[in-house]
Amino acid sequence: ELKRDAVPSIVQNNLFKKTALQTTFSGNFLALMGGGTVPQRFTLRVALNTFLDFRFETIRRKSTYQLKKVETRAHIVEGLLRALESADDVIELVRSAPDQAQAREALMAEDGG
């Protein structure tokens, strides 16, 4: 806390000038790396590289999942489009048949079944 008449910028500049606050700081980089169960100490560089590797792997997995999901949806849409294309032919065949039995036979013959 500062006194009421203290100017914050002057106090900050004095702290930077008279202490090592501006140039150094201490940090305890203790974490579990990879599949390890024993905590390890890291340097700042190793901690950042490990974090970046984790983020790249996470984004890669997410992108792969989304791609598979979209490919599955595209396959379903393709099937629906094929069904829609042949729907007009089926309707025309049924309407042109004189009765239900001949329409069924014509559809089975065309389907190959």
Side-chain angles (χ1 to χ4, degrees):
E1 287 189 32
L2 298 175
K3 294 181 180 179
R4 288 183 182 206
D5 59 343
V7 179
S9 61
I10 293 175
V11 174
Q12 182 181 15
N13 288 336
N14 284 335
L15 281 173
F16 287 152
K17 187 187 303 181
K18 296 179 181 180
T19 65
L21 184 63
Q22 186 174 16
T23 57
T24 61
F25 63 93
S26 62
N28 187 6
F29 290 104
L30 187 66
L32 299 174
M33 182 173 160
T37 57
V38 178
Q40 295 178 348
R41 283 196 147 176
F42 297 105
T43 62
L44 180 60
R45 179 178 297 263
V46 172
L48 289 174
N49 284 337
T50 303
F51 173 73
L52 289 175
D53 291 341
F54 166 75
R55 288 299 295 156
F56 285 139
E57 183 63 27
T58 303
I59 291 170
R60 197 173 295 123
R61 285 183 183 177
K62 182 179 178 183
S63 299
T64 302
Y65 170 76
Q66 288 176 342
L67 178 64
K68 287 181 182 178
K69 192 173 171 183
V70 167
E71 286 174 345
T72 303
R73 178 70 179 148
H75 180 70
I76 291 171
V77 168
E78 184 180 324
L80 291 173
L81 286 174
R82 281 188 178 180
L84 187 61
E85 287 173 359
S86 64
D88 292 336
D89 296 336
V90 170
I91 292 171
E92 182 182 326
L93 192 110
V94 169
R95 285 185 179 166
S96 66
D99 61 353
Q100 185 179 8
Q102 287 183 353
R104 182 180 298 128
E105 288 177 15
L107 284 173
M108 292 176 73
E110 191 170 303
D111 188 32

